[in-house]
Amino acid sequence: MREHGMSEVAISQFKHLYDVWRNDEGSTCIRERDVEPLTGVQSFHDIYETIDHDKAVDAFAKTAFLKLNGGLGTSMGLDCAKSLLPVRRHKAKQMRFIDIIIGQVLTARTRLGVELPLTLMNSFRTSKDTMKVLHHNRKFHQESIPMEIVQHVEPKIDLATGEPVSFPQNPDLEWCPPGHGDLYSTIWESGLLDKLEEHGFKYLFISNSDNLGARPSRTLAQYFENSGAPFMVEVARRTEADRKGGHIVRDRRTGRLMLREMSQVAPEDKKDAQNIDKHPYFNTNSIWVRVDALKALLAEHDGVLPLPVILNHKTVDPTDSSTTPVLQLETAMGAAIGLFEGAICVQVDRMRFLPVKTTDDLFIMRSDRFHLTDSYEMEDGNYIFPNVTLDPRYYKNIHDFDERFPYNVPSLAAANSVTIEGDWTFGRDVVLFADAKLEDTGEARYVPNGEYVGPQGVEPDDWI
């Protein structure tokens, strides 16, 4: 790592992760008997009724905005930052994630008269392209607070030897990011917290760049200030679709809140952990933290927080399962909730959790279910979306996806669910309704312009 010019903080963090794994401390499960369910979380609606919204601008004026932007979107076949992926058109202009994020920030600055600095945590792979967008946006200006910090990288571990993996065909693939928990040591090393304090910012709101619902909020800024809490996680009510995700629990022994990922659940506890009535809230990965509290905690640990280690098993070339099996040692940003005495959660609606992890998600985001407002909000009627399953052989890769929807995706307004099996290309103005399904016929097929697709596939023209 030193030979590659990496900092002592990056090396210390990797050493911590490696030692935890080597000593078999990282495999410790968070047992069901040792935790209590999180219940009775204050909801955004209740908070909204009690907040003085004129006063809330004062708390908002002390808030900075940080977006995690290190992902390349490799799961969708992208070779650039996922935030550069077009989401939908707005007034005839193609809008990418990054354009919508900038629009949200500029809207808040203009309407509320706040500075609201935006910082991106980029990776070495996303920095150049993303910063080019920020610098070329004529309306976006920022001088006092850095517009980016760059996350660390670490060696992938050869699972058979415990040593750094060797991959001469593409040495770049020998390295990986240490998960989004790396945010904290990157913030520490960058000096961002000092800059924020120097310019009077007290709160930092952090979220993923692929979650367009995680907009700056003066209501939540005021609630966070009023609470006096050092750390706050936005949680949402789990549905069956969320039962395998990370959820917040309370440690019976200490009373502190904890993030429990499914990888930390013992096999015999999985039924309880996936019970959405027993554990009703999941982590949206949007957090609020007090700058002074985070600075003090990082100073106490020399910039490397003792977060639980996540073991991510992959192959050195993630697109080729025949290459060397490796281990990526990672941490989760939300796990820091367990390190702050007095940390809290706030329940938010689905309108604040609109992640795009796959082309199935993008299918919904580009559909008529959404309207992108002039204030850059992704607006929908109820934010309860149809379950979409697209055949991964033909739709997982974004280039294949775009090729099969040359005129935009079909209408979803009347659809309960969508299942597309096989290779289908869609014409203009196609409408999906009820439990729409297209079956694999063993050859490439076409849905003509203006057709309706329902439970029986493409509806026949001869209506009875």
Side-chain angles (χ1 to χ4, degrees), residues 66-260:
L66 193 151
K67 280 284 188 180
L68 306 184
N69 192 56
L72 278 180
T74 51
S75 63
M76 290 190 276
L78 284 170
D79 53 7
C80 63
K82 190 198 287 189
S83 60
L84 301 184
L85 179 66
V87 179
R88 60 188 305 115
R89 290 190 178 274
H90 179 63
K91 296 181 177 177
K93 185 179 179 184
Q94 193 68 268
M95 303 296 291
R96 301 161 294 187
F97 285 91
I98 190 67
D99 300 315
I100 296 172
I101 292 166
I102 293 171
Q104 291 175 350
V105 170
L106 293 178
T107 298
R109 288 179 179 180
T110 303
R111 291 188 175 179
L112 299 176
V114 295
E115 189 174 342
L116 190 63
L118 170 66
T119 301
L120 300 175
M121 184 173 84
N122 289 321
S123 66
F124 69 94
R125 293 188 177 100
T126 63
S127 175
K128 184 179 177 181
D129 289 345
T130 309
M131 295 310 293
K132 187 176 178 181
V133 174
L134 260 63
H135 290 308
H136 284 193
N137 189 302
R138 288 174 292 179
K139 295 181 179 180
F140 184 85
H141 303 286
Q142 187 168 303
E143 294 178 4
S144 58
I145 305 299
M147 287 190 284
E148 80 162 341
I149 56 178
V150 180
Q151 69 183 103
H152 299 121
V153 293
E154 65 181 19
K156 296 177 183 178
I157 303 301
D158 186 322
L159 200 54
T161 66
E163 296 182 358
V165 72
S166 176
F167 196 62
Q169 302 96 303
N170 187 349
D172 279 353
L173 291 179
E174 297 172 358
W175 302 87
C176 64
H180 43 66
D182 175 58
L183 163 80
Y184 300 110
S185 59
T186 301
I187 283 179
W188 173 256
E189 189 171 17
S190 70
L192 177 64
L193 298 178
D194 294 326
K195 277 284 185 185
L196 292 174
E197 281 194 329
E198 182 185 327
H199 290 88
F201 294 100
K202 294 186 176 181
Y203 315 115
L204 188 57
F205 173 48
I206 307 166
S207 60
N208 293 335
S209 65
D210 66 4
N211 179 10
L212 294 176
R215 304 184 305 276
S217 167
R218 59 175 164 166
T219 301
L220 289 174
Q222 184 64 63
Y223 176 69
F224 185 49
E225 181 172 82
N226 291 349
S227 73
F231 193 92
M232 180 172 78
V233 174
E234 294 185 27
V235 297
R237 284 212 164 258
R238 295 167 90 190
T239 66
E240 284 299 320
D242 310 306
R243 62 193 181 86
K244 294 184 180 180
H247 52 283
I248 307 294
V249 294
R250 191 179 298 279
D251 187 323
R252 285 186 187 274
R253 186 176 59 83
T254 66
R256 289 193 179 189
L257 297 178
M258 305 167 67
L259 171 63
R260 180 168 67 169

Side-chain angles (χ1 to χ4, degrees), residues 345-401:
C345 292
V346 59
Q347 181 193 334
V348 297
D349 289 341
R350 287 285 170 149
M351 62 185 296
R352 288 191 62 81
F353 185 66
L354 302 172
V356 176
K357 303 300 182 187
T358 65
T359 50
D360 291 1
D361 300 326
L362 186 66
F363 183 84
I364 298 172
M365 200 71 72
R366 286 185 176 176
S367 77
D368 59 354
R369 286 299 306 262
F370 278 105
H371 166 63
L372 182 59
T373 71
D374 287 345
S375 55
Y376 299 91
E377 296 180 13
M378 295 291 290
E379 195 173 73
D380 176 63
N382 60 9
Y383 299 92
I384 301 172
F385 305 112
N387 184 46
V388 172
T389 306
L390 308 180
D391 194 319
R393 295 174 296 170
Y394 305 105
Y395 302 94
K396 181 179 180 180
N397 183 292
I398 187 62
H399 304 295
D400 295 337
F401 178 92

